[in-house]
Amino acid sequence: MDDPRPCRDPKEQHAWAATAAGTLRVLEGKWKIVIIVQLLASDEPLRFSELERRIPGVTQKMLIQQLKELEKDGIVIRTLYPQVPPKVEYSLSELGRALTPSFQALVEWSYLKERRLEGCSVA
Amino acid sequence: MDDPRPCRDPKEQHAWAATAAGTLRVLEGKWKIVIIVQLLASDEPLRFSELERRIPGVTQKMLIQQLKELEKDGIVIRTLYPQVPPKVEYSLSELGRALTPSFQALVEWSYLKERRLEGCSVA
DNA sequence: CCGTATCCTTCTAGATACTG
DNA sequence: CAGTATCTAGAAGGATACGG
């Protein structure tokens, strides 16, 4: 495994850590990870109601709130079709899709952690 | 880039998203990412005071709180040297170090995002 | 040096009801 | 269908003081 550190100079490391942590704060929020994973897992853009259906337990308020923040941060794209009844689709931006490798790695890690918790052989 | 989805069956995708999101909740908390990045960036275990010094803005209370949770979740290891004055070192467990690829990818993504924000050529 | 204990503020999330 | 508007409870975070 490669050295994760872009630089060994302590002051640079510090700046690096701070930047990373700051940027990653856009992923904070109880439902953002699930939303992104659902959009990653889907071939096509998802309608608001479809997201709501796929994310059990979320309320409309929370869903719209987190989607708005993700949109503001340039991660998801909202497309409104001016129809009656209204139709809105959400998809990942290029920046959002660039999260793919990170999420792949995190999902693998989550499997590792789950295996550790259960202490059993899922494989 | 590979398909991030472990399975195309919708029901499996749902379970996958839920599991991942649940597990990743152990990374929630204002200071956990910074703590992990600092420990990843360091060759050696870090003393409590050293972490405090490297994470500007954190209070003792928050630092110890987040460290305790990370320890409870099996990500960091606390080692107490029974001396006077006391010495405590924190390091990453095997599970913690397994976060390396994820964090590498996330840090790269954060660079991408920052470049996007600045609209300039860092490279 | 490495924490605990208290108090206080802010932020988050959820329930519920309503609208173009 | 896809939201908005209020209200409220609780969690998270922070300031400060103290202790082994």
Side-chain angles (χ1 to χ4, degrees):
Chain A
M1 198 171 292
D2 292 357
D3 191 327
R5 297 165 293 175
C7 179
R8 286 181 172 271
D9 174 47
K11 292 190 70 172
E12 289 293 327
Q13 281 175 17
H14 172 227
W16 169 70
T19 301
T23 306
L24 297 182
R25 215 156 276 157
V26 306
L27 299 179
E28 277 176 14
K30 188 166 178 188
W31 304 98
K32 289 189 185 172
I33 307 266
V34 215
I35 292 171
I36 293 172
V37 169
Q38 284 296 346
L39 288 174
L40 274 176
S42 167
D43 278 320
E44 304 166 10
L46 294 176
R47 299 186 61 162
F48 182 82
S49 50
E50 186 60 23
L51 277 170
E52 200 178 352
R53 208 180 56 74
R54 293 195 187 193
I55 305 178
V58 76
T59 61
Q60 283 192 328
K61 179 200 162 190
M62 288 314 298
L63 184 54
I64 197 70
Q65 186 183 103
Q66 308 263 296
L67 280 169
K68 270 186 180 168
E69 291 178 17
L70 287 172
E71 188 194 3
K72 176 171 140 288
D73 289 321
I75 293 167
V76 313
I77 293 170
R78 177 182 182 274
T79 309
L80 165 68
Y81 298 88
Q83 306 173 349
V84 184
K87 174 180 171 182
V88 177
E89 282 186 343
Y90 292 91
S91 59
L92 290 173
S93 68
E94 194 184 340
L95 183 63
R97 280 192 304 272
L99 279 166
T100 303
S102 311
F103 274 61
Q104 279 184 293
L106 283 170
V107 165
E108 279 187 40
W109 182 81
S110 79
Y111 286 151
L112 178 68
K113 179 160 163 50
E114 292 305 314
R115 267 204 307 282
R116 225 187 69 98
L117 284 176
E118 297 160 9
C120 74
S121 52
V122 171
Chain B
M1 196 171 292
D2 290 357
D3 191 325
R5 296 165 295 176
C7 180
R8 286 181 171 272
D9 173 46
K11 293 192 70 171
E12 289 294 326
Q13 281 175 17
H14 173 227
W16 169 69
T19 302
T23 306
L24 296 181
R25 215 154 277 158
V26 306
L27 300 178
E28 276 177 16
K30 189 166 178 186
W31 305 99
K32 290 188 184 173
I33 307 268
V34 215
I35 291 171
I36 293 171
V37 169
Q38 284 296 347
L39 289 175
L40 274 177
S42 167
D43 277 321
E44 304 165 10
L46 294 176
R47 299 187 61 163
F48 182 82
S49 50
E50 186 60 23
L51 277 170
E52 201 178 352
R53 208 179 56 73
R54 294 195 187 194
I55 306 178
V58 76
T59 60
Q60 284 192 329
K61 179 199 161 189
M62 287 316 296
L63 185 53
I64 197 71
Q65 185 182 105
Q66 307 264 294
L67 281 169
K68 269 186 183 170
E69 291 178 18
L70 287 171
E71 188 194 3
K72 176 170 140 288
D73 288 321
I75 292 167
V76 312
I77 293 170
R78 176 181 182 273
T79 310
L80 164 68
Y81 298 88
Q83 306 173 349
V84 185
K87 174 180 171 181
V88 177
E89 282 187 342
Y90 292 91
S91 59
L92 290 172
S93 67
E94 193 183 341
L95 182 63
R97 281 193 304 274
L99 279 166
T100 303
S102 312
F103 275 61
Q104 279 185 294
L106 283 169
V107 165
E108 278 187 43
W109 183 81
S110 79
Y111 286 152
L112 179 67
K113 179 161 163 53
E114 292 305 314
R115 268 204 306 282
R116 226 186 69 97
L117 285 177
E118 297 160 9
C120 73
S121 53
V122 171

